Amino acid sequence: MTDTPAPKATKSVFIKTYGCQMNVYDSERMKDVLAPIGYAPTDAAEGADLVVLNTCHIREKATEKVYSELGQIKKLKEAQGGKMTIAVAGCVAQAEGAEIMRRQPAVDLVLGPQAYHKLPEMIARVHRSTGERLETEFDTQEKFDALPKARSVDGPVAYLSVQEGCDKFCTFCVVPYTRGAEISRSVDEIMVEARSLASQGVREVQLLGQNVNAYHGAGPAIEGGGEWTLGQLVRHVAKIGGFDRIRYTTSHPRDMDDDLIAAHADTPELMPFLHLPVQSGSNRILQAMNRGHTREHYLDIMRRVKEARPDIGLASDFIVGFPGESDKDFEDTMDLVREVGYCIAYSFKYSERPGTPAAEMFGQVPEDVKNERLQALQALLREQQTAFNASKVGQTVPVLVTGKGRNAGQMHGRSPWLQAVHFDGAEDLSGQIIDIEIVGSSLNSLSGKLPQMADGVPA
Ligand code: 5AD
Ligand code: SF4
């Protein structure tokens, strides 16, 4: 398809994004489809012509937030005399559909994650007050085909969706129901988008997918189009994509093949970071979760990944208080954390999701037990994260400068291990990868200085 230049913006859109990186990516793509019909992004809901909430359904709390936010936006809409279109997108839209408009009648349209390319058409329908205002069909390929191929990006870091959906059906998770079956984009399609990103100055690209290492898209047509793995894709993007840094997220232990592990050793552009959620350290719980891997299998992957790339930073997700989790099961999780040693990890209390098998299981864990376990786990993870950050002090690390810091004269960027780094430097460093000497660390960031400033005198 050809991309026509955007007309002069006459309307404004405010998009609020909840949840995972896939939603962040989708929000960017929604801006891309709205630009040709005259919508420019704005950073406040107040005064906006169109407000989109790109929602997350993964835990109950995330869903509740959406309804309370909608209550606030409704007031703004009333203050504007009704001159605001409210759209609910994302996984809550997929899961709850028309129920959203029943609970909050100020909502004009509801569209699931596979329907973003239809947003302009749906807005037109709302304005004519005709027809369907709900679009939650599953057709991921249609979405990928219909979205504009060129993208507008802001800054040197970008996401690139290579795979969507999940067929794993972990018993606690709504993703297979809200995002649909697993589908991989073809290498040729990905490369068109990759080149558009690189030509706009993107230096670090993060390949995205709910199950990114299950990637099995068609290889380049000129090579016959046979199925490719993520390891092949990563090497290809490194060779011809024009990026200095490549990452991928999120992976599943079942799909961590030898070739992908080898890519960590032989592809310098692939950053030394792996987010591989384990959820629990107990085999009994892993089985009840339908994870399809054991504790031993996971630990073996971690060992092999460390062997391939000794400086790799390891990350994970954990759920505490899954139905039936005993003190001993929880201790197994704590034990696994001690054994692996994480640079960062995300941990959650199990949240009952209607329609998932775990919601029907016996042995739901009381809230106070979940709280206690979460606190203990998070204390241990914080300790590891602080120690990992402190281990970089005294080292010189390459930092991709992403923009201005909070204080005057300060810039910030990210290290190969995704740590935020602050240092004093000039604005024109933005977008460059520069060596920074790390002089301090905390739980959430590193501070550093330009090496030539080591004695306070610029070189
Ligand atoms: N309750 C708590 N955490 C959940 N996650 C997914 N579903 C649930 C749930 N029902 C967590 C998992 C997953 C992350 C994105 O969210 O740890 O890896
Ligand atoms: Fe959810 Fe499991 Fe699929 Fe991850 S692998 S998205 S946790 S069902």
Side-chain angles (χ1 to χ4, degrees), residues 58-59 172-173 277 279 317-319 348-351 353:
I58 198 108
R59 286 169 292 275
F172 53 80
C173 186
Q279 314 297 356
D317 294 352
F318 295 92
I319 295 178
F348 313 99
K349 287 188 281 184
Y350 167 69
S351 168
R353 306 313 288 128

Side-chain angles (χ1 to χ4, degrees), residues 166 168-170 172-173 175-176 211 252 291:
C166 179
K168 299 280 193 300
F169 288 95
C170 298
F172 53 80
C173 186
V175 168
N211 243 266
H252 193 290
R291 290 285 295 170

